[in-house]
Amino acid sequence: MAQQEDVFKKIIAHCKEYGFVFPSSELYDGLGAVYDYGQNGVELKNNIKQYWWRSMVQLHENIVGIDAAIFMHPTVWKASGHVDAFNDPLIDNKDSKKRYRADVLIEDQLAKYDEKIQKEVEKARKRFGESFDEQQFCATNARVIEHQQKRDALHERFANALNDNNLEELRQIIVDEEIACPISGTRNWTDVRQFNLMFSTEMGSTAEAASKIYLRPETAQGIFVNYLNVQKTGRMKLPFGIAQIGKAFRNEIVARQFIFRMREFEQMEMQFFVKPGTELDWFKTWKQTRMAWHQALGFGSENYRFHDHDKLAHYANAATDIEFHMPFGFKEVEGIHSRTNFDLSQHAKYSGKKIEYFDPETNESYTPYVIETSIGVDRMFLSVMCHSYEEEQLADGQTRTVLHLPAALAPVKLAVFPLTKKDGLPEKAQEIVDDLRFDFNVKYEEKDQIGKRYRRMDAIGCPFCVTVDQQTLEDNTVTLRDRDSMEQRRVAISELRAIVLEQASITSLLKKQK
Ligand code: GAP
């Protein structure tokens, strides 16, 4: 575990050193859980967004996109339930004055039981070697059984407390489990209180006329309130979807793990409107479609899992998360929810407008049901970074730091180097760059030895490097070096565009979805 934490720290440092992610307002020591994307980060982020957008909007005839405003009428958030119920249970430690999410403290405690079990398993695996049967060991080892029983009991108590919204019980669990504040080390806790996560501000020029409005905590409501506009102007027939990418804001109590939990972040959400009664079939379809989108990146199916929700929101009839194996465990990257007709019905009620669909096949009017797929851009970015980062031991004893980014997501697709700074090589290299820059991001580099230039490109995940040498001037060929294998081969300059587009374009990635 400590080793994984170390790797995570290195990834964060790498993100800063190579222009991917900087702490916001770093000159002023940063702002909690707010981050800026640098010159390479913004390219990677844009590529992730493009991959999602094109997969949703371009590849589905019945999905269209919108871009709604961040500010919305305040009643939207009353109707959606966010004003009354978008809360986290918080608890303060009286000695350190630090604030925590009560549910997160308990989830961490559950993870500790898992770690204890895992430790026993690893110890036994070493002891028994090849013949080790993990399932049998877990079913019979007294210590594992004890940890598992404690874990299950805690999980049940926790799920009940959440379901009943029982804040006193949450506090009691923290006391009974003897959970201590990581800063002060004491168990001197306040009561658990609810804390609304929405940021608010004032709109209007005078204090009297100003009204309180919120920074949207999810992009989904911009889609719901535009359902009628899009359905009518686009003459959309059910089933159809509306997709959107945009910023969302949450005043997270526990903001940690770098860009995993931020106060300002970006979501890619798609609401799929369907006929009532068909929603659970569509829920299944979207689970598969979204998993295929993730797995096309080639990170290995063992690094993903579905986590079906124990506790469903009162308006949902199915919900699952797609979790990815981060250095700090399997964590939610995307949520897929069957939200019934809750949101549209609420907006109809609060606005007094009829929000229905006239079905020309059955001559009936009804409020559509909704399947939502909701993924955080920043979490996706983090999962890509975590999976791609490697400190690779080379045969010659050296170590290289390389980002094995999926080529289609790489900020720079091709780097072009003149072998030396003379004999017309820089001019020839520049000619190649000028020709290819219309199709993808190309970088020209002449400083330092070739080996060092390769390393710099490895560190930002550039999939291909090209070296221009004397032979290039004679026969218009270059050496093309592959980032992952480090193999080099001679290719004609005229082939470069096709090679890069075939392996490193978003189109090539879209075609891998199955
Ligand atoms: N409209 C549904 C919705 O917003 P959610 O599970 O609260 O559902 C969806 O959020 C996704 O947004 C999450 O799976 C996660 O990827 C991302 N997300 C949520 N809160 C976040 C935060 N504080 N920082 C970064 N990403 C976040």
Side-chain angles (χ1 to χ4, degrees), residues 10-22 39-40:
K10 284 184 181 169
I11 293 169
I12 297 171
H14 190 87
C15 279
K16 188 174 161 204
E17 190 179 345
Y18 287 92
F20 284 92
V21 183
F22 307 126
Q39 66 279 16
N40 288 316

Side-chain angles (χ1 to χ4, degrees), residues 218 250 252 260 262 265 267 269 332-333 372 374 376:
E218 62 171 13
R250 295 182 190 178
E252 298 283 359
F260 183 79
M262 302 158 88
F265 59 101
Q267 288 186 315
E269 296 200 291
E332 173 191 344
V333 173
E372 161 182 85
S374 175

